[in-house]
Amino acid sequence: MSKLVENRGLWSSLVSQDDDAEIGVLGVPFDNAVSWRGGTRHAPQRIRSITPFLAFVTEEGLTLKVRVKDYGDMESDLNWERFFEATEASAAEIINGKHKLAFFLGGDHSVGIPLFKAFAKSFQGPVGYIQFDSHPDLADYHEGHAWSHANTARRNLEQPNFSPFHLAFVGLRSFLTEELDYYAAHPEIGWHTARSVYRRGIEAVARDVIAQMKGVEAVYMSLDIDGIDPSCTPGTGTPEHGGPSTRECLEFLRLIFAELPIRAMDIVEVSPPLDISDVTSLAALKVMYEVFGFVQEKKE
Ligand SMILES: [Mn+2]
């Protein structure tokens, strides 16, 4: 068999059944919680489907050797509460396993609620949470729900070993009044707007986030694809202009993965039906492969 064919499997043939594979992947195809346009339930399968066509070499020329154990997708369930409980249980198994990094693919951002719950419960000490997003998702209730995609960070703060002191946002540029009131009451939150990224540079922002996470046992990194400017990632339900580029997102991730104990990450809000030439799914996959490289470099 030629080498080219060999590399054209799922996850570019990085896929493994080993329980101690460096990366554990779980898809959470759920989009019942969006306020406007959906389609994010198609993202995990769409992203997987293009994995054979992206080189398994990082942008700095590192050939990926990490093993990826793909657990598949959560089964859909029309009972929202039961679906979140099942998602939490599966996520806990992956986080508590032997992987260096648990990688979750949404779904809308509401799936981050059971995922982070599983994460926080997996550690005794304080945990950190970084959200790269145009929105802070700090609403207590949104459109009659406490578990919508606008409530994620607010629900996460209900975990006893997580506080606003270890909560950081990057790329913010769209707010509900209630969210601004919450920030005014909790100025300890790391609140980095898209404009601040533009004016200060992504490295200065990353340094602040790294300093803020000092003392945490583990960090969860959530990437809402609408945190990136829609010129780069148009395939999402609530695009917000004026954001950082995919380039800046990659730089940010490179800096924080080098310094922080990041044990779980998600990419949410990718909507293949709203996408153009798969560029948004490709951005998600690009980010994944670069992150796999950061995990590999840390090990080497
Ligand atoms: Mn968002």
Side-chain angles (χ1 to χ4, degrees):
M1 198 191 290
S2 80
K3 217 173 178 185
L4 185 70
V5 171
E6 199 182 310
N7 292 334
R8 286 202 164 179
L10 186 64
W11 301 110
S12 297
S13 295
L14 303 172
V15 77
S16 157
Q17 291 308 315
D18 300 343
D19 287 337
D20 65 347
E22 288 78 4
I23 316 284
V25 173
L26 176 70
V28 192
F30 176 88
D31 61 5
N32 290 358
V34 295
S35 47
W36 188 21
R37 305 180 295 177
T40 63
R41 70 180 182 278
H42 300 289
Q45 285 303 336
R46 189 70 200 159
I47 292 166
R48 279 191 192 90
S49 76
I50 55 177
T51 59
F53 307 105
L54 201 68
F56 61 110
V57 179
T58 70
E59 62 176 5
E60 292 283 49
L62 180 73
T63 300
L64 294 175
K65 293 181 191 125
V66 287
R67 293 160 296 160
V68 178
K69 180 162 182 174
D70 192 332
Y71 290 82
D73 288 347
M74 293 302 301
E75 220 179 301
S76 64
D77 189 333
L78 291 174
N79 182 318
W80 192 337
E81 199 163 0
R82 199 166 53 201
F83 181 79
F84 273 22
E85 278 168 10
T87 300
E88 185 189 334
S90 297
E93 253 179 71
I94 297 168
I95 294 161
N96 290 306
K98 295 176 182 163
H99 309 298
K100 295 205 181 322
L101 181 71
F103 212 115
F104 305 111
L105 288 172
D108 69 52
H109 217 157
S110 73
V111 304
I113 297 171
L115 295 174
F116 183 80
K117 202 169 170 186
F119 182 80
K121 284 179 174 175
S122 299
F123 299 95
Q124 302 280 312
V127 293
Y129 174 76
I130 303 167
Q131 184 171 315
F132 193 104
D133 198 334
S134 60
H135 317 95
D137 300 340
L138 278 170
D140 199 6
Y141 282 88
H142 188 63
E143 295 175 350
H145 262 294
W147 295 345
S148 89
H149 69 157
N151 306 118
T152 310
R154 186 66 174 263
R155 289 288 84 76
N156 289 354
L157 285 161
E158 290 168 358
Q159 297 308 309
N161 54 344
F162 175 54
S163 79
F165 286 93
H166 296 132
L167 166 60
F169 295 106
V170 178
L172 297 177
R173 54 197 183 275
S174 175
F175 309 98
L176 302 166
T177 308
E178 182 189 356
E179 296 174 321
L180 296 170
D181 292 345
Y182 191 90
Y183 174 48
H186 299 277
E188 63 273 24
I189 294 172
W191 192 270
H192 305 281
T193 61
R195 183 161 183 263
S196 163
V197 171
Y198 174 75
R199 298 196 55 94
R200 297 181 63 213
I202 196 68
E203 183 161 355
V205 168
R207 295 285 161 223
D208 280 2
V209 172
I210 290 163
Q212 189 194 347
M213 297 295 150
K214 208 175 165 212
V216 300
E217 187 181 350
V219 175
Y220 185 111
M221 173 67 221
S222 180
L223 171 58
D224 182 328
I225 210 74
D226 72 31
I228 299 174
D229 192 82
S231 59
C232 300
T233 54
T236 192
T238 47
E240 299 284 351
H241 284 274
S245 63
T246 311
R247 176 75 264 142
E248 286 164 306
C249 179
L250 288 169
E251 292 299 323
F252 177 74
L253 293 171
R254 178 179 291 276
L255 291 161
I256 63 163
F257 266 89
E259 302 284 338
L260 295 175
I262 300 173
R263 295 287 313 282
M265 177 164 175
D266 67 41
I267 301 182
V268 295
E269 299 285 349
V270 172
S271 177
L274 299 172
D275 207 0
I276 299 156
S277 297
D278 281 322
V279 285
T280 310
S281 295
L282 280 162
L285 186 59
K286 181 85 181 167
V287 165
M288 288 185 90
Y289 278 8
E290 293 303 316
V291 165
F292 292 177
F294 306 152
V295 172
Q296 182 173 318
E297 275 173 335
K298 228 170 177 171
K299 194 182 86 171
E300 277 171 354

